[in-house]
Amino acid sequence: MKYLLVAALFLGAVALAQAPDANTLVIAQSRSTSTLDPAAISDAATFNITRGLVFASLVDIDADGKVTPSLAESYSVSETGTEVSFKLREGLQCHDGEPLTAEDVVYTIKRAADPANAFTGNIVNFVFPNIGYVDARVDSELELTVVMSRYNPAAVAFMADILVHCKDAYEKMSLDQAANNPIGSGPYRVVEYVRGDRVVLEKVADYPLEKGQGGWQRLVWRTIPEASTQAAELIAGNVDIVAGVVSDHVAAINNSGTATVKPVMGTRRISIWFSFNEKMAQSSPGAAAIQSVDVRRAIQYAIDVPSICANLLGVECKRMTTLVNPPNDNPALEPYPYDPALAEKMLDDAGYPRGADGVRFTLNLQTPNGLFANDVNLALTVAQYLEDVGIPTAVEVMETASVFTPLLQSHEAGPLFINSIGGGTWSPIRDMGLYASFKANNNYNDWNNPEWFELYEKMLAERDPEARQAIVNDMLVIFYNDPPWILLYFLPSFYGVSDRIDWTPRRDDRIDPFTVHLVVN
């Protein structure tokens, strides 16, 4: 009876949306798209809509890291490992009918790299630093080469995030026009884009690649920020997949008779970052205190991560030891235990004893609102743990897209800020790429451990996998002992799935509609 009442309350809040037909798949995500410019996209929600759907890439990569051809039918890596050459398929074109050639791919890469455009998307912030991008050149009508400064065993896999578009169309558009009027190269075209509400995709007729031959005729990606509304729309049959179901709604969905929640151990890393930005470090006594490695290590012991998982997520979890997902992590490292007495002693020893008022120093913790499940509650909980050891912490809740993300990308967030970063299991290099260099844009907190960055270059140069993993393990010890984050957990994901479809979620946040099928009765 309880579940029926909850479901009834949900349904009462649902707008009179239309249930999808047999040719349409409807997916709901909490985060709104801020741009559809392929060079500016940086979040998983927008990549879900665009990567491999609106925009094709030279290659694709599956959840296991297997690289497969896409626009490129083949590729080769030079003996030095500093050049990757691609051969495109014949007969490719963009959605406006323009033929897609090597010139367009090179334009795609150079447009992203152009500092005049000031892009902060995944290509610039993540792909380029990791492959050591230097240049791209046209070798023939269908052949091109990407030039890199160094060998990286995962370079081709990283290039799966480069979303290809055609030169003529984008040269005519302003950046604002490109953000709102995508002209893609993938198996689906955008037919409706209402920012903050929905993106509607329609299958491209006679798409030349094999992947475009199957799949749904129409894809509707809805933005539904509020968790109860997501659950209600799923139960009512108006959406097929909901990403990020909160634990409070699991029972109601499972007892609805129309949908089921499918959990998966995700690869997304949830942590709280310490800012090392010089200006930020001078902004308050607390911001100055966390520059001390002894203070940052002490704070780890003040946080009870397993209890956070149990109470906020409704699941058991093991605290992360570093930024790398298992099984690529260092198995010798044990998670920091919850030991507030030890935290207090270490803070005393670090030179930050409690004052007469019981306060050591104060901090400010910034959090996005709705970036991932229970982010604000997580911030409030961590703040309480810090206050318990004499560090009163104010929580500052920020709108994600317009306030928090710009602060993050300008490296001005802090002195503490929650971050949610996608990860993978196919290579430790994928996860460690956040700190490819001190100057990497994704090094949002300006962490600068010289030994880490020296070993980073050594790791990439090592061609023997076992020897490379040994270097990785050494680097993860450095990360553990000089923590740039309050280490929390890998986020378990809960997907609400309509009973009319058959689909198995991936661990890496990616929702691939080509793997979703109608249930045949």
Side-chain angles (χ1 to χ4, degrees):
M1 179 61 74
K2 174 185 175 183
Y3 301 132
L4 293 175
L5 287 172
V6 172
L9 289 172
F10 281 163
L11 293 171
V14 176
L16 296 176
Q18 186 174 3
D21 60 34
N23 296 313
T24 302
L25 180 70
V26 181
I27 303 168
Q29 301 183 111
S30 61
R31 183 168 181 174
S32 172
T33 56
S34 57
T35 178
L36 292 180
D37 189 317
I41 296 169
S42 62
D43 63 278
T46 310
F47 264 114
N48 270 334
I49 299 170
T50 54
R51 180 172 46 198
L53 297 176
V54 179
F55 298 99
S57 301
L58 289 165
V59 295
D60 285 332
I61 183 169
D62 66 16
D64 297 322
K66 181 182 178 183
V67 175
T68 56
S70 183
L71 295 178
E73 65 178 15
S74 63
Y75 66 87
S76 61
V77 182
S78 67
E79 189 172 336
T80 63
T82 56
E83 292 192 353
V84 182
S85 296
F86 296 91
K87 182 177 182 181
L88 299 179
R89 302 173 190 270
E90 295 183 354
L92 299 172
Q93 63 180 25
C94 283
H95 294 166
D96 61 350
E98 180 185 348
L100 195 162
T101 67
E103 185 179 19
D104 297 299
V105 180
V106 170
Y107 169 77
T108 294
I109 296 171
K110 288 181 176 288
R111 176 176 180 267
D114 187 347
N117 291 324
F119 287 126
T120 56
N122 201 52
I123 298 174
V124 178
N125 278 358
F126 187 65
V127 176
F128 286 171
N130 275 285
I131 68 174
Y133 168 76
V134 174
D135 197 7
R137 67 169 185 265
V138 175
D139 297 325
S140 72
E141 183 179 358
L142 296 179
E143 295 173 307
L144 68 130
T145 295
V146 179
V147 182
M148 305 172 295
S149 62
R150 62 190 177 204
Y151 168 71
N152 183 329
V156 178
F158 277 110
M159 292 183 202
D161 277 1
I162 297 176
L163 309 181
V164 175
H165 44 289
C166 285
K167 179 180 177 181
D168 289 354
Y170 277 79
E171 277 188 333
K172 296 173 185 174
M173 288 194 280
S174 67
L175 293 181
D176 184 60
Q177 289 171 327
N180 295 286
N181 302 284
I183 299 174
S185 58
Y188 287 87
R189 72 176 79 247
V190 176
V191 294
E192 186 179 17
Y193 175 33
V194 181
R195 184 177 295 189
D197 187 78
R198 63 189 180 277
V199 183
V200 181
L201 311 183
E202 194 170 86
K203 193 174 176 182
V204 174
D206 301 322
Y207 188 72
L209 301 186
E210 182 180 354
K211 191 172 184 179
Q213 303 310 307
W216 301 79
Q217 187 64 34
R218 192 175 176 88
L219 303 174
V220 180
W221 297 82
R222 293 181 56 188
T223 301
I224 305 179
E226 211 283 315
S228 294
T229 306
Q230 289 180 351
E233 295 276 21
L234 178 67
I235 291 172
N238 297 332
V239 300
D240 295 302
I241 296 174
V242 168
V245 172
V246 299
S247 58
D248 290 349
H249 299 154
V250 171
I253 292 172
N254 284 339
N255 287 280
S256 68
T258 59
T260 305
V261 175
K262 295 188 175 182
V264 62
M265 180 47 68
T267 57
R268 178 161 292 273
R269 295 155 288 176
I270 305 299
S271 56
I272 295 176
W273 294 35
F274 300 103
S275 175
F276 303 95
N277 176 294
E278 290 186 9
K279 183 178 178 182
M280 180 67 67
Q282 298 170 6
S283 65
S284 69
I290 60 173
Q291 305 309 303
S292 163
V293 64
D294 293 332
V295 170
R296 282 182 273 121
R297 282 175 56 84
I299 285 175
Q300 308 294 330
Y301 293 98
I303 313 299
D304 186 353
V305 175
S307 289
I308 289 175
C309 290
N311 293 314
L312 292 186
L313 306 178
V315 297
E316 294 184 2
C317 72
K318 183 178 180 182
R319 188 177 192 174
M320 63 168 64
T321 58
T322 69
L323 72 172
V324 171
N325 272 277
N328 302 313
D329 57 346
N330 183 338
L333 294 174
E334 290 293 332
Y336 283 100
Y338 175 52
D339 190 341
L342 178 58
E344 297 234 28
K345 180 181 184 305
M346 292 177 68
L347 288 166
D348 290 343
D349 294 344
Y352 294 94
R354 287 180 183 262
D357 58 356
V359 174
R360 302 175 188 277
F361 52 81
T362 62
L363 282 170
N364 192 54
L365 169 58
Q366 296 172 334
T367 179
N369 188 1
L371 178 60
F372 60 91
N374 272 322
D375 45 13
V376 173
N377 287 331
L378 172 62
L380 294 170
T381 303
V382 169
Q384 183 59 60
Y385 280 122
L386 292 176
E387 182 162 354
D388 290 346
V389 296
I391 309 174
T393 300
V395 173
E396 187 177 359
V397 180
M398 297 177 162
E399 195 282 325
T400 301
S402 63
V403 182
F404 180 78
T405 300
L407 270 181
L408 190 73
Q409 293 177 338
S410 64
H411 295 210
E412 295 175 329
L416 296 180
F417 57 96
I418 286 184
N419 209 353
S420 163
I421 299 289
T425 57
W426 50 270
S427 169
I429 300 173
R430 166 66 179 78
D431 287 351
M432 296 165 74
L434 290 171
Y435 293 105
S437 76
F438 172 57
K439 295 182 179 178
N441 287 337
N442 273 7
N443 183 354
Y444 295 123
N445 57 341
D446 294 350
W447 182 58
N448 187 12
N449 185 301
E451 190 178 3
W452 167 279
F453 293 116
E454 181 180 338
L455 285 177
Y456 198 95
E457 298 300 320
K458 184 178 178 182
M459 172 193 69
L460 292 184
E462 179 56 63
R463 302 208 177 198
D464 176 71
E466 290 188 11
R468 186 188 309 130
Q469 185 61 46
I471 300 173
V472 167
N473 288 344
D474 289 343
M475 295 176 69
L476 298 185
V477 171
I478 293 170
F479 194 94
Y480 181 88
N481 288 328
D482 180 19
W485 305 349
I486 298 178
L487 296 159
L488 297 179
Y489 50 83
F490 299 104
L491 182 67
S493 298
F494 298 87
Y495 291 91
V497 182
S498 166
D499 288 348
R500 81 173 187 128
I501 62 170
D502 177 24
W503 176 63
T504 301
R506 289 169 52 147
R507 293 184 58 194
D508 60 0
D509 293 339
R510 187 168 179 179
I511 301 173
D512 181 357
F514 286 100
T515 64
V516 183
H517 305 284
L518 274 177
V519 172
V520 178
N521 296 315

